[in-house]
Amino acid sequence: MDNRAIIQKSLDYIEENLKTELTAAELARMAHISLYHYYRLFQQATGFPVMQYILRRRLLHGIYAMKQGSTKTDAALAFGFDTYAGFYRAFCREFGATPSAFLQSCRARRPYRIDLMKEEHMHVSHKTAARILKHWNLEGETITDIYYEGTGNQNHNACYVGNDYVLKYTTNLGKLRKNGELAKALEDVGLLSATPVPTADGESYVQDGELSFCLTRRLPGTQLISRQLGRGDGRFVGEIIGQLHLALREIDGCVSEADLLGTVRDWALPKAKQALGLSEGFCKAYLDTFTDLYPRLPRQIIHRDPNPGNIIRSEDRWGFIDFDLAERNVRIYDPCYGATAVLSETFGQNDALWLELYRDIFRGYDSVAKLTEEERKAVPYVILANQFVCVAWFAEQEKYAEILETNKRMTLWLIHNFEELKNI
C-alpha cells in the first residue's frame, strides 16, 4: 500500500478522536506496522513526530472552539488538557504566542483537514503574507498572486514577493522539507532549483498556527508553455526529464513510496470505469497486463508533477520547480505525466501534433535514461493510469466539473488511440 494512504488513515482517525486518549503505539498497531517504522513514516509524511502532531491538532481545535464561544476551561478539558493552565503553557510553547494574542491576530480559523492524497488549496491573504515576511525583513515588498502561464489557473499555495522571491505555504511541513531537500540536492549538481532562503534568524521554515511557510528565490528564465511547443520540442522535454532522473537517482531523499498499481486497481479505475462507461472486458484486460508489467518497472525518486509550467529554461541552464509531490514511483510516470499535461492544455487543438510530441518525449528520454523493454510496453498503461487517477480525483471535486469533462474526453480519446500509444 502507498505509505501516504497508511498515514492518511491515521490522520483521519486522529482527527475524529482528538477528544480521546491517543498513543503512537495504538496508531502503529492499527496501521499493522512496527512502532519504529510508524514513527519514521509519520514524520516523513507530515513533518512532525506523531505526538507533537496530535498536540498541535488539539491546540488548534481548542483555540478555534474558544473563538466559537466555548469557555477557555471547557475547550481545554474537551481536547485532553487537565486545566486551562496546561493548555496555555502548551500553546505558548508550540505557537510562540499566548492563546489571547493568537485569537486577537485572527489566526484562530477552523483547522484545515489534512489530506495527503490530494492537492491543497489554501487561502492566505496578502495581509497574512506580509506579516510572515517580517521573518525575512521583506514585509514592505509587493505581494502578487501567481497564475500558471499555460492554463491561467491560480496557484493556491504560493505568491510572488517583489520581483525576486516566492513565498510558499502548506499545512504539511513534511512537504516543504522534502521540497527543500530535493531542491538543494539538484542545485548541488548544477541544475536550476528553488532552494529555501534562510530567515533573519537562520531558519529555513516559519510555522504560523497550522501553516508552514518557506521563501525561495524566483529562478531566472521562463516556464515552458504547452500551446507553444512545436515539432522537435518534445525531444527537449524528454531529455531534461531524463537528466532530472539521472540527478534524482543519486539522491537518497526522504520521500513516500507510491503504489501506482494499487491506487489504480483499488480506487481510480473503479471510479473512472463508472464515470467513463468503460466495459468490464476492457478494464480486466488493462489490469491484467499492467499487473504483469508493474513489478518489473524501474523505480526511483521522481518529480511527480513535471508539467511544462514546472520546467524552467534560461539561456544556458534549465531546471525544475515545485517538488512538493516528489515520491518514489515507477520512473516512467514522469515522462508520461509530462506528455498528458501537454495534452490536457492543448486537447482538441492539434491532437495529431500531440502524438508526435508524445513520441518525441520518449525518444528524448530514452536518449538520456535508457528505457527497458518492459518500460516501453508499460508506457501506454501508465499514461492511462495517470488519466484514471485524474478522472477519479476530479470526479470527487464539484468545483472542477469543467476540468473533469475535459479529462473524460481526453481519456476516451487516449483509449481510442491506444494502439498509437504503443508506437514509441
Side-chain angles (χ1 to χ4, degrees), residues 67 100-109 127-128 131 208:
K67 180 182 179 181
S100 295
F102 198 86
L103 286 166
Q104 291 170 5
S105 70
C106 301
R107 287 182 278 170
R109 298 177 178 177
K127 181 179 179 181
T128 297
R131 175 170 56 78
D208 185 71

Side-chain angles (χ1 to χ4, degrees), residues 14-26:
I14 290 168
E15 206 69 13
E16 297 298 330
N17 294 277
L18 284 172
K19 295 182 178 181
T20 66
E21 184 177 352
L22 293 166
T23 67
E26 172 196 7

Side-chain angles (χ1 to χ4, degrees), residues 7 28 71 79 92 151 156 158-159 164 169 212 226 251-252 268 277 279 283 327 363 376 385 391 406 410 417-418:
I7 301 303
T71 67
F79 287 97
C92 292
T151 63
H156 294 281
C159 59
D164 299 321
Y169 32 86
S212 299
S226 294
I251 296 171
D252 185 23
S279 70
C283 293
E327 62 190 16
R363 287 165 184 161
R376 289 181 180 278
V391 168
T406 298
M410 263 181 59
N417 290 278
F418 195 64

Side-chain angles (χ1 to χ4, degrees), residues 1-12 41 44-46 53 113-121 170-172 175 178 256-268 271 304-305 324-329 333 337 386 388-394 396-397 400:
M1 178 183 286
D2 189 327
N3 291 341
R4 292 170 302 174
I6 293 173
I7 301 303
Q8 185 60 54
K9 287 184 178 180
S10 287
L11 299 186
D12 292 341
L41 290 183
Q44 175 182 301
T46 67
Y53 175 88
R113 196 175 183 103
I114 296 174
D115 192 331
L116 301 174
M117 310 300 287
K118 295 183 179 179
E119 181 184 1
E120 291 180 303
H121 290 276
T170 177
T171 58
N172 188 342
K175 182 185 292 186
K178 175 176 63 178
S256 298
E257 286 282 346
D259 179 7
L260 181 61
L261 174 62
T263 298
V264 170
R265 181 189 59 227
D266 301 334
W267 169 67
K271 277 194 168 291
R304 178 55 177 80
D305 186 22
D324 303 42
L325 303 180
E327 62 190 16
R328 192 176 301 277
N329 200 338
Y333 188 93
Y337 188 97
N386 179 56
F388 294 148
V389 169
C390 287
V391 168
W393 192 85
F394 288 123
E396 295 180 348
Q397 316 296 318
Y400 292 127

Side-chain angles (χ1 to χ4, degrees), residues 39 78 87 111 146 151 166 175 179 192 232 244 267 275 295 327 379:
Y39 270 121
F87 179 95
I146 297 175
T151 63
V166 175
K175 182 185 292 186
N179 198 326
L192 286 173
L244 172 68
W267 169 67
E327 62 190 16
V379 164

